[in-house]
Amino acid sequence: MSVEKLTSEERDSWLAALPQWALARDGDAIARTFTFADFSEAFGFMTRVAILAEKRDHHPEWFNVYNRVEITLTTHDAGGLSLRDVKMARKIDALA
Ligand code: HBI
């Protein structure tokens, strides 16, 4: 399935519904930082996200240190943001 890059208008309207996420990489990605009580909570979240990523075949770029998880979403196949990223961000928020 070809994955279409969002136009800047599409991007802005979708992101209005994702206020916790910020544009990154000159608008080609979105990013959010999650902070948990401790490492165990953070890693449990990462495990849930990993299972989701495999299920959707759409994988985050992420960094973890102790109780903090930084997630960046972009669609390599589209060379920027696609609907896959928007849908994934919404599902990741529900897993936090
Ligand atoms: N994950 N974030 C992200 N972006 C992609 O384009 C992507 C992916 N996971 C798997 C995937 N693409 C496959 O369709 C192959 O392109 C690797």
Side-chain angles (χ1 to χ4, degrees):
M1 171 184 108
S2 81
V3 190
E4 294 299 309
K5 182 176 178 177
L6 296 176
T7 64
S8 51
E9 292 78 18
E10 289 167 329
R11 182 194 64 201
D12 294 346
S13 69
W14 282 111
L15 288 187
L18 290 167
Q20 310 264 26
W21 292 77
L23 275 180
R25 294 199 196 144
D26 292 329
D28 283 337
I30 51 175
R32 182 180 174 184
T33 297
F34 298 82
T35 304
F36 297 90
D38 53 29
F39 174 75
S40 174
E41 292 297 309
F43 198 81
F45 167 71
M46 292 177 75
T47 303
R48 296 192 293 278
V49 172
I51 292 165
L52 175 71
E54 278 297 283
K55 184 177 164 191
R56 299 181 63 85
D57 191 25
H58 197 68
H59 303 80
E61 297 173 26
W62 48 2
F63 171 81
N64 161 248
V65 56
Y66 184 55
N67 67 332
R68 198 170 84 241
V69 182
E70 298 174 2
I71 295 182
T72 299
L73 296 173
T74 187
T75 301
H76 314 128
D77 294 351
L81 273 178
S82 74
L83 266 187
R84 286 186 177 187
D85 302 304
V86 172
K87 290 176 181 172
M88 187 80 175
R90 193 179 296 151
K91 289 185 177 296
I92 288 173
D93 286 349
L95 292 175

